[in-house]
Amino acid sequence: MHLCEFTYAYSTNTNCFKKNNNIGQYLFVCHLVLPFLHHPKGTFTISEQFETQGQTFSVLIISRVSPGSTSERNHTSDSSVFLEVGLGSRSCFKQNDPLISFQSLGAHEYPEFVKIVEVGPRDGLQNEKEIVPTEVKVQLIDRLSDTGLSVIEATSFVSSKWVPQMADHTEVLQGIRKSPNVRYPVLTPNMHGFQNALAAGATEVAVFGSASETFSRKNINCSIDESMLRFEEVLNAAKDQQIPVRGYVSCALGCPHEGPIDPSKVTEVAKRLYEMGCYEVSLGDTVGVGTPGSMAAMLRSVTREVPCRALAVHCHDTYGQALANILTALQMGVCVVDSAVAGLGGCPYAQGSSGNVSTEDVLYMLHGMGIQTGVDLSKMIAVGDFICHSLNRKTNSRVAQARGSQL
Amino acid sequence: IIKYFGSIPRRVKIVEVGPRDGLQNEKTIVPAETKIRLIDMLSDSGLSVIEATSFVSPKWVPQMADQMEVMKGIRRKPGVSYPVLTPNLKGFQAAVEAGASEVAIFGAASELFSKKNINCSVEESLQRFEQVMVAAKAAGVPVRGYVSCVLGCPYEGKVAPAKVAKVAKRLYSMGCYEISLGDTIGVGTPGGMSEMLEAVSKVVPVGALAVHCHDTYGQALANILVALQMGVSVVDSSVGGLGGCPYAQGASGNVATEDVVYMLHGLGIQTGVDLPKLMDAGAFICHSLNRRTSSKVSQATHCKL
């Protein structure tokens, strides 16, 4: 919250505030529109203070700027405060002398670019009933490499005893064509997995923590603290080898065993992973129970401790909430989204339900909003067709279903 | 601290269109008793508006041929409204005769869609509706207006927000108490939704607006969220996500009421709807239609956790 005091004149014909150098009469129009207070009647506090030289206002505002957006907030000292109004390219600031214009009602600030982290070959295939042969996995990843994606999670160096679908991790990592503009992170639960991954040629890895104690114990057989110690080992070894590490926090919006999860717990785990050295932390709604309200509450908490630019959201679509949750995350400044081609990967906690959100549907939304991703939707749909055909299953992507039908 | 979603309404009215928009677009035709049972179950789930049927000629919409029987057969729960579609004066008169106490008229924001769908221009359709409005006013029957193709047309492609606003304004000035803005083929995304709503809310008060989002491209809930953030507090949806898209064979159509209610309740918004009872109604009709529900919430809830 910022309390601003300034002298401004409102010009009705240019619809903007200009710093008033003259003492004179002016209007203050009481619907200053802030990104998320765009109720037509306007709801915020203004108190007026009049001085002999011109008029000053105190305006209580909440300003929020997404990193990477075209408007930036400049704080120098208390004496030069800025009123931030408007969004994107229609607001701009000069030090101490902002010229502010209204943005249209209802607009939100969104990132200009969103990075998609494609988890189909790992999270997707890991949760499919059918085990897919190595050649098909390799083909899938190679085709994905041609769609414009910059990150494709290739496999998991977990014991094949636990995850038989990923038993061929070494063959897959060695078999894929490594495109120069693409990274191929792999999951590594511990040092053993990390060393195997390295030996197989991995250049980026990921570790998987949980915001729920019960989930941690049931899923990886240890407490959250114990898992963090294991990850620290991996992080230290990775640092030596200059291997970037991505952190995951599962059950960020709810746990299949514990139910609702306190945002502070998610923050604790995310912060730990970030401070350990993870370059990015992906917050996962593992059972898809989250809604925009719980997403916003969780992100509000996490972004106090971990910078927005280091966060990603990994939403499951089990209750159909994924795109709405992703939209909320974007509105709060997150600009990395995990998804799986064709919505591969059911939910292991709700048999027959869907799991990962479909990359195609995410792309459709982002592109429709003018957000760039670098990914070609048509190519993605074609890759989805390929893998669904190989798995002998229907796609979970609504976009693929619609495009695949006669119009 | 002002909450993040400060402008989202506290209460949202759900307009359940499953028995009409849903069943009208299903391949399987269900008998009147099934329709009646569905509507009765929906009446018990806490919904306050259930679109019951359509007084369109059975020549065009055979699924709604039993309109009279359905209207007369349903149990009218006090406090629940059962609007019916009436494309013209003749349909209106038949509806009133069958006991309807609320009707709805359907305009389009796209000329081509209007011509192909109801065989006349947008202007001609509005003139037909004026006749209905006059009769409705005389009979004290409230009228809801629909605008279709607000975020895109299967024939024209992009639709200008100004055109949507123009048609919405006309319907509102004619006397419609509420205007439902329909993304008929589900192509809209949050950017387009907010742009369109901005244009329309300049000429129709936001309190009189509803959104009718189709989920053909999976965008419905995201689009509804944006509409809520802009102050819209009425949402159309269909139990079980009934009703495929007539313009994309095999693709989904209406957004599922269960999924909408799940999101709204998760946001702390009141709807008055009892989700388990709603899911029961959804399970019933899907069983009768011999099809799987399109609602993800229903799918997840019926699975073992």
Side-chain angles (χ1 to χ4, degrees):
Chain A
M1 279 200 318
H2 303 273
L3 194 65
C4 301
E5 292 187 348
F6 55 96
T7 307
Y8 281 93
Y10 176 58
S11 163
T12 47
N13 57 357
T14 55
N15 213 25
C16 64
F17 282 97
K18 277 185 88 150
K19 188 161 184 197
N20 188 14
N21 294 315
N22 306 315
I23 300 163
Q25 203 183 3
Y26 57 93
L27 313 161
F28 185 86
V29 181
C30 208
H31 51 262
L32 206 59
V33 178
L34 299 169
F36 42 85
L37 285 181
H38 43 251
H39 195 285
K41 294 194 183 78
T43 50
F44 58 98
T45 314
I46 302 174
S47 59
E48 284 186 345
Q49 296 171 314
F50 290 90
E51 293 180 338
T52 49
Q53 303 251 341
Q55 290 181 318
T56 58
F57 294 110
S58 295
V59 180
L60 184 71
I61 63 161
I62 295 173
S63 64
R64 176 180 51 83
V65 185
S66 305
S69 67
T70 55
S71 69
E72 280 183 58
R73 182 178 53 199
N74 259 321
H75 288 289
T76 50
S77 67
D78 283 343
S79 59
S80 54
V81 256
F82 302 94
L83 177 68
E84 183 191 27
V85 176
L87 307 157
S89 56
R90 289 193 50 193
S91 70
C92 58
F93 296 92
K94 271 195 248 168
Q95 195 95 352
N96 293 328
D97 193 32
L99 181 76
I100 297 151
S101 55
F102 280 125
Q103 182 54 289
S104 42
L105 278 178
H108 269 275
E109 220 167 48
Y110 293 106
E112 287 184 346
F113 182 89
V114 163
K115 178 176 81 173
I116 301 281
V117 172
E118 172 60 47
V119 300
R122 201 278 308 163
D123 194 6
L125 294 183
Q126 179 170 318
N127 288 302
E128 285 286 326
K129 291 190 308 282
E130 298 254 335
I131 297 192
V132 160
T134 310
E135 314 86 72
V136 175
K137 289 188 178 99
V138 168
Q139 257 221 67
L140 170 64
I141 296 169
D142 286 350
R143 285 172 189 237
L144 287 168
S145 294
D146 288 335
T147 59
L149 287 163
S150 60
V151 187
I152 302 167
E153 206 173 62
T155 187
S156 182
F157 282 79
V158 187
S159 160
S160 50
K161 196 170 53 172
W162 301 120
V163 187
Q165 295 91 333
M166 299 283 125
D168 53 5
H169 37 67
T170 303
E171 290 94 327
V172 170
L173 200 52
Q174 290 178 341
I176 56 177
R177 170 180 39 94
K178 303 234 185 126
S179 185
N181 303 318
V182 186
R183 286 153 41 202
Y184 303 90
V186 299
L187 246 64
T188 53
N190 49 37
M191 273 307 287
H192 183 69
F194 177 75
Q195 279 150 358
N196 287 343
L198 220 54
T203 48
E204 180 171 331
V205 301
V207 295
F208 236 93
S210 172
S212 153
E213 275 299 346
T214 317
F215 188 83
S216 189
R217 279 181 210 275
K218 291 204 177 221
N219 213 39
I220 51 174
N221 235 352
C222 65
S223 71
I224 297 176
D225 277 342
E226 285 165 343
S227 71
M228 293 292 135
L229 292 173
R230 283 183 205 171
F231 301 150
E232 263 173 25
E233 278 193 84
V234 173
L235 258 312
N236 290 333
K239 248 172 244 166
D240 285 341
Q241 304 285 330
Q242 281 160 351
I243 303 253
V245 183
R246 186 187 212 226
Y248 278 94
V249 183
S250 57
C251 297
L253 298 181
C255 171
H257 314 291
E258 286 183 18
I261 294 287
D262 201 286
S264 60
K265 191 71 190 185
V266 183
T267 301
E268 203 190 300
V269 178
K271 183 179 179 182
R272 209 140 158 217
L273 288 169
Y274 184 67
E275 288 176 348
M276 252 191 239
C278 291
Y279 74 92
E280 193 170 270
V281 179
S282 173
L283 306 165
D285 182 11
T286 307
V287 275
V289 290
T291 54
S294 54
M295 172 63 86
M298 185 275 292
L299 283 176
R300 246 200 315 275
S301 176
V302 176
T303 51
R304 283 192 197 113
E305 302 288 344
V306 180
C308 232
R309 59 180 151 71
L311 292 176
V313 288
H314 184 114
C315 298
H316 276 199
D317 204 36
T318 317
Y319 290 78
Q321 309 295 306
L323 283 191
N325 292 341
I326 289 168
L327 183 69
T328 302
L330 296 177
Q331 289 177 350
M332 295 183 74
V334 172
C335 44
V336 183
V337 175
D338 298 359
S339 58
V341 61
L344 289 182
C347 180
Y349 301 94
Q351 292 299 324
S353 258
S354 59
N356 285 299
V357 67
S358 311
T359 304
E360 299 94 311
D361 298 2
V362 173
L363 288 175
Y364 185 90
M365 181 174 81
L366 297 177
H367 293 177
M369 293 167 70
I371 296 172
Q372 306 210 2
T373 62
V375 184
D376 184 322
L377 175 57
S378 306
K379 287 186 180 168
M380 186 61 66
I381 294 175
V383 179
D385 279 348
F386 160 75
I387 190 62
C388 288
H389 185 80
S390 311
L391 284 165
N392 194 26
R393 63 161 269 176
K394 273 185 97 178
T395 181
N396 271 340
S397 157
R398 294 255 209 241
V399 171
Q401 283 166 25
R403 285 280 173 88
S405 352
Q406 291 304 107
L407 199 76
Chain B
I1 283 281
I2 297 171
K3 290 174 77 146
Y4 176 69
F5 288 113
S7 61
I8 278 203
R10 296 271 163 93
R11 297 194 70 99
V12 163
K13 178 176 78 174
I14 301 274
V15 173
E16 171 60 47
V17 300
R20 201 278 310 163
D21 194 5
L23 293 182
Q24 178 170 318
N25 287 301
E26 285 287 328
K27 292 188 304 285
T28 316
I29 297 190
V30 296
E33 312 92 70
T34 307
K35 291 185 174 97
I36 290 166
R37 174 103 201 270
L38 171 65
I39 294 169
D40 287 349
M41 286 181 84
L42 290 169
S43 293
D44 286 333
S45 69
L47 289 160
S48 60
V49 186
I50 302 166
E51 207 174 60
T53 186
S54 180
F55 282 80
V56 187
S57 161
K59 197 173 51 177
W60 300 120
V61 185
Q63 295 91 333
M64 301 283 125
D66 52 10
Q67 52 206 209
M68 283 280 181
E69 218 187 311
V70 169
M71 235 13 233
K72 293 190 176 169
I74 56 176
R75 174 178 38 92
R76 307 266 203 131
K77 190 167 176 155
V80 183
S81 149
Y82 302 88
V84 299
L85 246 64
T86 54
N88 48 37
L89 194 56
K90 183 160 165 241
F92 176 77
Q93 285 155 349
V96 168
E97 209 186 292
S101 39
E102 182 175 328
V103 301
I105 55 182
F106 241 96
S110 151
E111 279 300 342
L112 267 174
F113 188 82
S114 189
K115 289 222 166 68
K116 294 214 178 212
N117 214 38
I118 52 175
N119 234 353
C120 64
S121 72
V122 172
E123 183 54 44
E124 284 166 342
S125 73
L126 291 171
Q127 282 164 13
R128 278 184 208 170
F129 299 148
E130 300 244 14
Q131 295 186 351
V132 174
M133 295 307 304
V134 168
K137 249 173 239 162
V141 173
V143 183
R144 187 188 211 225
Y146 278 93
V147 184
S148 51
C149 295
V150 301
L151 297 180
C153 170
Y155 312 106
E156 285 185 12
K158 271 179 152 341
V159 174
K163 182 78 187 192
V164 181
K166 195 164 154 203
V167 179
K169 182 179 181 180
R170 229 359 233 285
L171 290 170
Y172 186 68
S173 336
M174 257 192 235
C176 292
Y177 76 90
E178 193 169 272
I179 311 294
S180 174
L181 305 163
D183 180 13
T184 307
I185 45 169
V187 289
T189 52
M193 171 63 85
S194 67
E195 206 187 3
M196 182 276 295
L197 282 176
E198 210 190 296
V200 178
S201 57
K202 286 194 178 107
V203 296
V204 179
V206 75
L209 294 177
V211 288
H212 184 114
C213 297
H214 276 200
D215 204 34
T216 317
Y217 288 78
Q219 307 296 304
L221 284 191
N223 290 339
I224 289 169
L225 180 64
V226 163
L228 295 174
Q229 290 176 333
M230 293 184 72
V232 171
S233 58
V234 184
V235 176
D236 299 0
S237 58
S238 173
V239 63
L242 290 184
C245 181
Y247 302 93
Q249 288 302 322
S252 60
N254 284 299
V255 66
T257 307
E258 299 93 315
D259 299 1
V260 173
V261 169
Y262 185 90
M263 180 172 81
L264 297 179
H265 289 182
L267 275 164
I269 294 171
Q270 299 195 6
T271 63
V273 177
D274 181 325
L275 187 52
K277 287 194 176 154
L278 180 68
M279 288 198 280
D280 283 345
F284 162 73
I285 192 63
C286 287
H287 182 79
S288 311
L289 284 165
N290 195 24
R291 63 159 267 176
R292 229 189 142 194
T293 181
S294 290
S295 155
K296 293 241 165 121
V297 169
S298 280
Q299 285 168 22
T301 312
H302 291 128
C303 308
K304 296 262 154 229
L305 199 76

